[in-house]
Each structure stands twice: as C-alpha cells, then as structure tokens.
Amino acid sequence: MTTTAPLTRTRTGTRPTTAGSAAGRPGPVPVLWLALLATPVAAATNAPVLILPDMAGSLGVGASTAAWLVAAFAWAMAVSIPLLAGLLRRRGLAPVLRLSSALLLGGTLLVAASPWLPATLLGRAAQAAGGAGLVAAAMSLAGTARRMGVISAGFGMLGATGPLLGAQLSHAMSWRLSLSVSLVSLLAVPAVRTYAKAPAAAPQGRFDARGAALLTLLATALVLLPHAPAVALGSAALATLLLALHMRRRPEGFVPAALIRRPLFLGSALLALALSTSYFTLLFAVPRLISDRAGWDTGTAGAGQLVALLTGSALSWLLAAGSARMGRVAVRTVLVGIGTLAALIAVFASHGTLLLLATLGGVFGATGANAVLSTHAASSVPDAQRPTAIGLFTLCYQLGGAFGPAIATALVLGS
C-alpha cells in the first residue's frame, strides 16, 4: 500500500481518491499546491542560462567549466526521480517529503556559502535531487490528466521565465540567489502533507539495491552520451544488458519487468522522450536560426521566444483538460502531428514568426506529452506501481533535456 492516490474510474476519466476523502476531509490535494510543490525546480534548472559568465568569474573558473553546474543539475534530476519514486512506492509520502526538503535546503545552503566549484556542484546536485523528489510526489498525487496538465504547464512557464528571472535576481542581488529559487517549493510541503495524510506504505521485501544501482548507471551514461559518446554508449549498452539480466532474476525489483513489457507504458515513455528531445533542440536552436535566417537581433528573438514558450505551455493545458474526451489515439495523433510540424518548420522556414511558431509547437508537444502520457503510463500498472511508472516515465522525459542541447549544438550552434 502506498500513500499515493489510487485512481477510480468515472465517466469522464480518472480521479484520485485519498485517505482524507474517506475520512470526510478534502480528498485530492488542491492542484495549485501540487504545482507550487513541483514547478519552481523548472525555473531553477534554467536560471543559470544567462549568468554563466558571472558564476564563472565568481568561482574563478572558465565559462565552459562553470557549465558543469548546469550538467550536474540535469544529471541529478534525471537519476533522482526514479530513485525517489521508488522510495515513495516503498515508504510512502511523508519520508519522501522530508528527505526531499532536507536535500533542497541543504543543497541551497551549500550553493549560497561555497566559494569553490566542487562544493557548489555538490550543492546543485543536492538541490536537483530534492526537487526531483518533490516532482515525483506531486505527479503521483495529481491523478488526472487535467490536474497533471496544470503541473506540466507550470513547468513550461517557469522554465521559460527561468533565464530572465535568474538574470534579474543576479543583477539585483547575487547569482547565488538566482540558484535558490526552488526553495519556494518548500512553502507547499506542509499543505501537501495535511491534505495527503495516509498510512505509511508497507515494506515490500528487501530493497533491490542492485537494480537501483544499475538504473542509475544507465541513466548516468545516457545523460553523458552527448558529452562523451564512445564511453557513454559502451557504458549504456553494458548497463542495459546487466539490468535486463537482473530483471530476469528479480522481475519484481526496482524496475519491474512487467512494467517494461507493457506496450502502453513503453509507447508513452518513448513518445515523451522524442517530443522532449525535439523541444529542447528547438529551445536552443531557434534563437540562432532566427538571427541567421531572419536577421532579428538577440533581444527581439529572446522576447519572441519567451512569448511563444508561455503561449505553448498554456495551450498544452487545454489538451490535457480535454484528453479524457478525445481518447488516447486522438491525443497521440495531435502530439505527433504538432511535434512533427514544429520540426519541419524549424528545418525549412526562414521567417522569424514561423520559427517562433516552431518553438510554440515544440513546447506544446512536450508539455502536453508530460501531462497526458504520464497518466497513460501510470494507468497501465496496478496502484502500487504507479510511483515507479511515473518515475521511469519522467526519467525518459528528462533525458530529452540532455539530448536536445547537444543536437542543437551539433546541427546549428556549432556551425
């Protein structure tokens, strides 16, 4: 038994029920609390984009070295989400909220105080791990595509404003304050614990440490694939083989074999990976394409992209809200169609407005996939495995954030 909200079927889709509802208290956690719990990490992820030179100068390193602060955050987010989702599955909500809050607070204090890059890297990784646990908790409690759409749209919006917010905080106070914006998530923790009180999850046998380690190795290799292709590819292949063999010996372990074999889960996760990779490629490539093809200056291109990202994120909620009525096939057709159209516009268009539409389509497809396909993935498994399904699904989505910038660099930024 877990503290996540099981799903009950209704005429319009699924809705979460909690122990609170059984006791006469409000049932589902209000979605705005879940959004506040999960989305500030999106702003923290992108906050360093415009202030890397300031960070590098303060730490006494080059800009390329300081960029590891971004890579460390992305890596920790990717590997921590399935690990903390596994903890959520085994131990329940309260331990995950406590551990995630401690990691987030401790990492932020380290970033705020450390004058050395290695300690700052450790602090950023701890911030990301704490944020990942809060994201896993919020997504597991969301329950429906409509509620997940609010969280996903919030991710897109705060991610879009992250660079500008980071620059403003850096210029007004310090770049260290810019890297601390995810602390806002802690405001939601007491409310979420109040609404989502439930008995702690019962232990499910011996913890599968080997399965968790092999999944972490695989995720690490995939995150490093754009940076060291040969070594990362070999490591990923070895980790995949060892994980597959381990799953045969322990099919109910950290990565359940039955989950990986479910077509609905696998199709949802792979489509989310593809759309996320496309979005992050466009995010980094389109400003350069607008400058080269349309002759727009950096300020105009940046402002236009911000509007496109905010609009696409908001529109994705409409897809999530109507997904139960549309059906799975129609939703996937919309996501694939708009994602493909966005990529084709980016390849062939030369007008700045059309290139901004490509960005809008890219963020719409990615945030819509995160909202809707995550509920498809979760619905493919029993309630006890929902946190694991969401954790592995989110890992696939996060990998797009590692692949996309590297593809943009290879195809556009490096030329």
mmCIF file of all heavy atoms in Angstrom, residues 326-350:
data_model
loop_
_atom_site.group_PDB
_atom_site.id
_atom_site.type_symbol
_atom_site.label_atom_id
_atom_site.label_comp_id
_atom_site.label_asym_id
_atom_site.label_seq_id
_atom_site.Cartn_x
_atom_site.Cartn_y
_atom_site.Cartn_z
ATOM 1 N N MET A 326 -11.184 13.110 -25.692
ATOM 2 C CA MET A 326 -10.621 12.852 -27.013
ATOM 3 C C MET A 326 -10.234 11.398 -27.227
ATOM 4 O O MET A 326 -10.360 10.869 -28.327
ATOM 5 C CB MET A 326 -9.375 13.736 -27.214
ATOM 6 C CG MET A 326 -9.652 15.222 -27.266
ATOM 7 S SD MET A 326 -8.137 16.197 -27.281
ATOM 8 C CE MET A 326 -7.381 15.625 -28.811
ATOM 9 N N GLY A 327 -9.746 10.737 -26.186
ATOM 10 C CA GLY A 327 -9.265 9.376 -26.333
ATOM 11 C C GLY A 327 -7.777 9.348 -26.619
ATOM 12 O O GLY A 327 -7.174 10.320 -27.090
ATOM 13 N N ARG A 328 -7.159 8.193 -26.355
ATOM 14 C CA ARG A 328 -5.703 8.085 -26.452
ATOM 15 C C ARG A 328 -5.198 8.257 -27.880
ATOM 16 O O ARG A 328 -4.194 8.934 -28.117
ATOM 17 C CB ARG A 328 -5.247 6.726 -25.912
ATOM 18 C CG ARG A 328 -5.376 6.593 -24.404
ATOM 19 C CD ARG A 328 -5.063 5.178 -23.949
ATOM 20 N NE ARG A 328 -5.217 5.052 -22.496
ATOM 21 C CZ ARG A 328 -5.261 3.895 -21.866
ATOM 22 N NH1 ARG A 328 -5.166 2.759 -22.544
ATOM 23 N NH2 ARG A 328 -5.397 3.869 -20.542
ATOM 24 N N VAL A 329 -5.867 7.641 -28.826
ATOM 25 C CA VAL A 329 -5.377 7.704 -30.210
ATOM 26 C C VAL A 329 -5.402 9.145 -30.718
ATOM 27 O O VAL A 329 -4.438 9.620 -31.336
ATOM 28 C CB VAL A 329 -6.218 6.790 -31.124
ATOM 29 C CG1 VAL A 329 -5.807 6.980 -32.586
ATOM 30 C CG2 VAL A 329 -6.052 5.327 -30.716
ATOM 31 N N ALA A 330 -6.499 9.852 -30.461
ATOM 32 C CA ALA A 330 -6.606 11.237 -30.926
ATOM 33 C C ALA A 330 -5.555 12.125 -30.264
ATOM 34 O O ALA A 330 -4.933 12.966 -30.927
ATOM 35 C CB ALA A 330 -8.006 11.776 -30.642
ATOM 36 N N VAL A 331 -5.334 11.943 -28.957
ATOM 37 C CA VAL A 331 -4.335 12.755 -28.261
ATOM 38 C C VAL A 331 -2.947 12.513 -28.836
ATOM 39 O O VAL A 331 -2.189 13.450 -29.105
ATOM 40 C CB VAL A 331 -4.355 12.447 -26.748
ATOM 41 C CG1 VAL A 331 -3.134 13.047 -26.054
ATOM 42 C CG2 VAL A 331 -5.623 12.986 -26.115
ATOM 43 N N ARG A 332 -2.611 11.268 -29.052
ATOM 44 C CA ARG A 332 -1.274 10.951 -29.591
ATOM 45 C C ARG A 332 -1.128 11.464 -31.020
ATOM 46 O O ARG A 332 -0.043 11.896 -31.418
ATOM 47 C CB ARG A 332 -1.027 9.446 -29.511
ATOM 48 C CG ARG A 332 -0.870 8.978 -28.077
ATOM 49 C CD ARG A 332 -0.821 7.459 -27.960
ATOM 50 N NE ARG A 332 -0.794 7.078 -26.557
ATOM 51 C CZ ARG A 332 0.182 6.378 -25.976
ATOM 52 N NH1 ARG A 332 1.224 5.981 -26.700
ATOM 53 N NH2 ARG A 332 0.133 6.088 -24.700
ATOM 54 N N THR A 333 -2.208 11.428 -31.778
ATOM 55 C CA THR A 333 -2.153 11.961 -33.139
ATOM 56 C C THR A 333 -1.865 13.459 -33.118
ATOM 57 O O THR A 333 -1.051 13.965 -33.895
ATOM 58 C CB THR A 333 -3.479 11.682 -33.869
ATOM 59 O OG1 THR A 333 -3.702 10.269 -33.928
ATOM 60 C CG2 THR A 333 -3.442 12.246 -35.284
ATOM 61 N N VAL A 334 -2.525 14.177 -32.204
ATOM 62 C CA VAL A 334 -2.280 15.623 -32.072
ATOM 63 C C VAL A 334 -0.838 15.889 -31.668
ATOM 64 O O VAL A 334 -0.150 16.745 -32.244
ATOM 65 C CB VAL A 334 -3.259 16.240 -31.054
ATOM 66 C CG1 VAL A 334 -2.859 17.674 -30.723
ATOM 67 C CG2 VAL A 334 -4.674 16.206 -31.606
ATOM 68 N N LEU A 335 -0.343 15.154 -30.675
ATOM 69 C CA LEU A 335 1.016 15.373 -30.196
ATOM 70 C C LEU A 335 2.053 15.089 -31.279
ATOM 71 O O LEU A 335 2.974 15.879 -31.507
ATOM 72 C CB LEU A 335 1.290 14.506 -28.974
ATOM 73 C CG LEU A 335 0.533 14.875 -27.688
ATOM 74 C CD1 LEU A 335 0.751 13.829 -26.608
ATOM 75 C CD2 LEU A 335 0.971 16.246 -27.196
ATOM 76 N N VAL A 336 1.898 13.959 -31.948
ATOM 77 C CA VAL A 336 2.856 13.604 -33.005
ATOM 78 C C VAL A 336 2.759 14.583 -34.167
ATOM 79 O O VAL A 336 3.779 15.020 -34.716
ATOM 80 C CB VAL A 336 2.615 12.158 -33.478
ATOM 81 C CG1 VAL A 336 3.467 11.843 -34.708
ATOM 82 C CG2 VAL A 336 2.943 11.170 -32.357
ATOM 83 N N GLY A 337 1.530 14.953 -34.548
ATOM 84 C CA GLY A 337 1.351 15.862 -35.673
ATOM 85 C C GLY A 337 1.968 17.229 -35.415
ATOM 86 O O GLY A 337 2.706 17.763 -36.248
ATOM 87 N N ILE A 338 1.678 17.808 -34.250
ATOM 88 C CA ILE A 338 2.215 19.136 -33.947
ATOM 89 C C ILE A 338 3.719 19.075 -33.729
ATOM 90 O O ILE A 338 4.466 19.962 -34.166
ATOM 91 C CB ILE A 338 1.492 19.734 -32.725
ATOM 92 C CG1 ILE A 338 0.050 20.042 -33.099
ATOM 93 C CG2 ILE A 338 2.203 20.983 -32.218
ATOM 94 C CD1 ILE A 338 -0.753 20.676 -31.992
ATOM 95 N N GLY A 339 4.205 18.026 -33.086
ATOM 96 C CA GLY A 339 5.646 17.887 -32.896
ATOM 97 C C GLY A 339 6.383 17.764 -34.216
ATOM 98 O O GLY A 339 7.449 18.374 -34.421
ATOM 99 N N THR A 340 5.835 16.984 -35.133
ATOM 100 C CA THR A 340 6.464 16.829 -36.452
ATOM 101 C C THR A 340 6.417 18.131 -37.239
ATOM 102 O O THR A 340 7.399 18.525 -37.891
ATOM 103 C CB THR A 340 5.756 15.714 -37.243
ATOM 104 O OG1 THR A 340 5.817 14.491 -36.497
ATOM 105 C CG2 THR A 340 6.408 15.508 -38.591
ATOM 106 N N LEU A 341 5.269 18.807 -37.199
ATOM 107 C CA LEU A 341 5.139 20.078 -37.910
ATOM 108 C C LEU A 341 6.127 21.105 -37.369
ATOM 109 O O LEU A 341 6.748 21.863 -38.138
ATOM 110 C CB LEU A 341 3.710 20.598 -37.774
ATOM 111 C CG LEU A 341 3.389 21.924 -38.477
ATOM 112 C CD1 LEU A 341 3.607 21.796 -39.985
ATOM 113 C CD2 LEU A 341 1.961 22.350 -38.175
ATOM 114 N N ALA A 342 6.320 21.150 -36.060
ATOM 115 C CA ALA A 342 7.267 22.090 -35.465
ATOM 116 C C ALA A 342 8.680 21.825 -35.963
ATOM 117 O O ALA A 342 9.425 22.759 -36.292
ATOM 118 C CB ALA A 342 7.210 21.991 -33.939
ATOM 119 N N ALA A 343 9.061 20.554 -36.031
ATOM 120 C CA ALA A 343 10.402 20.215 -36.513
ATOM 121 C C ALA A 343 10.579 20.592 -37.986
ATOM 122 O O ALA A 343 11.628 21.118 -38.385
ATOM 123 C CB ALA A 343 10.659 18.725 -36.308
ATOM 124 N N LEU A 344 9.552 20.341 -38.807
ATOM 125 C CA LEU A 344 9.646 20.678 -40.226
ATOM 126 C C LEU A 344 9.731 22.193 -40.434
ATOM 127 O O LEU A 344 10.482 22.662 -41.307
ATOM 128 C CB LEU A 344 8.427 20.111 -40.968
ATOM 129 C CG LEU A 344 8.365 18.584 -41.088
ATOM 130 C CD1 LEU A 344 7.043 18.150 -41.716
ATOM 131 C CD2 LEU A 344 9.548 18.076 -41.923
ATOM 132 N N ILE A 345 8.980 22.959 -39.665
ATOM 133 C CA ILE A 345 9.056 24.421 -39.781
ATOM 134 C C ILE A 345 10.465 24.896 -39.447
ATOM 135 O O ILE A 345 11.031 25.757 -40.132
ATOM 136 C CB ILE A 345 8.022 25.081 -38.842
ATOM 137 C CG1 ILE A 345 6.607 24.835 -39.370
ATOM 138 C CG2 ILE A 345 8.271 26.583 -38.732
ATOM 139 C CD1 ILE A 345 5.519 25.322 -38.429
ATOM 140 N N ALA A 346 11.046 24.326 -38.387
ATOM 141 C CA ALA A 346 12.397 24.735 -37.995
ATOM 142 C C ALA A 346 13.418 24.425 -39.080
ATOM 143 O O ALA A 346 14.382 25.170 -39.270
ATOM 144 C CB ALA A 346 12.785 24.048 -36.693
ATOM 145 N N VAL A 347 13.212 23.336 -39.799
ATOM 146 C CA VAL A 347 14.168 22.950 -40.849
ATOM 147 C C VAL A 347 14.042 23.850 -42.071
ATOM 148 O O VAL A 347 15.060 24.279 -42.650
ATOM 149 C CB VAL A 347 13.946 21.474 -41.238
ATOM 150 C CG1 VAL A 347 14.776 21.117 -42.480
ATOM 151 C CG2 VAL A 347 14.326 20.560 -40.077
ATOM 152 N N PHE A 348 12.825 24.205 -42.455
ATOM 153 C CA PHE A 348 12.637 24.848 -43.758
ATOM 154 C C PHE A 348 12.271 26.328 -43.687
ATOM 155 O O PHE A 348 12.479 27.057 -44.661
ATOM 156 C CB PHE A 348 11.546 24.110 -44.546
ATOM 157 C CG PHE A 348 11.918 22.698 -44.910
ATOM 158 C CD1 PHE A 348 11.313 21.625 -44.267
ATOM 159 C CD2 PHE A 348 12.889 22.452 -45.865
ATOM 160 C CE1 PHE A 348 11.654 20.316 -44.593
ATOM 161 C CE2 PHE A 348 13.240 21.147 -46.205
ATOM 162 C CZ PHE A 348 12.626 20.085 -45.562
ATOM 163 N N ALA A 349 11.705 26.818 -42.590
ATOM 164 C CA ALA A 349 11.217 28.197 -42.547
ATOM 165 C C ALA A 349 12.374 29.189 -42.450
ATOM 166 O O ALA A 349 13.414 28.902 -41.862
ATOM 167 C CB ALA A 349 10.266 28.388 -41.371
ATOM 168 N N SER A 350 12.151 30.363 -43.013
ATOM 169 C CA SER A 350 13.144 31.427 -42.926
ATOM 170 C C SER A 350 12.575 32.693 -42.280
ATOM 171 O O SER A 350 13.335 33.608 -41.954
ATOM 172 C CB SER A 350 13.678 31.772 -44.328
ATOM 173 O OG SER A 350 12.622 32.174 -45.190
#
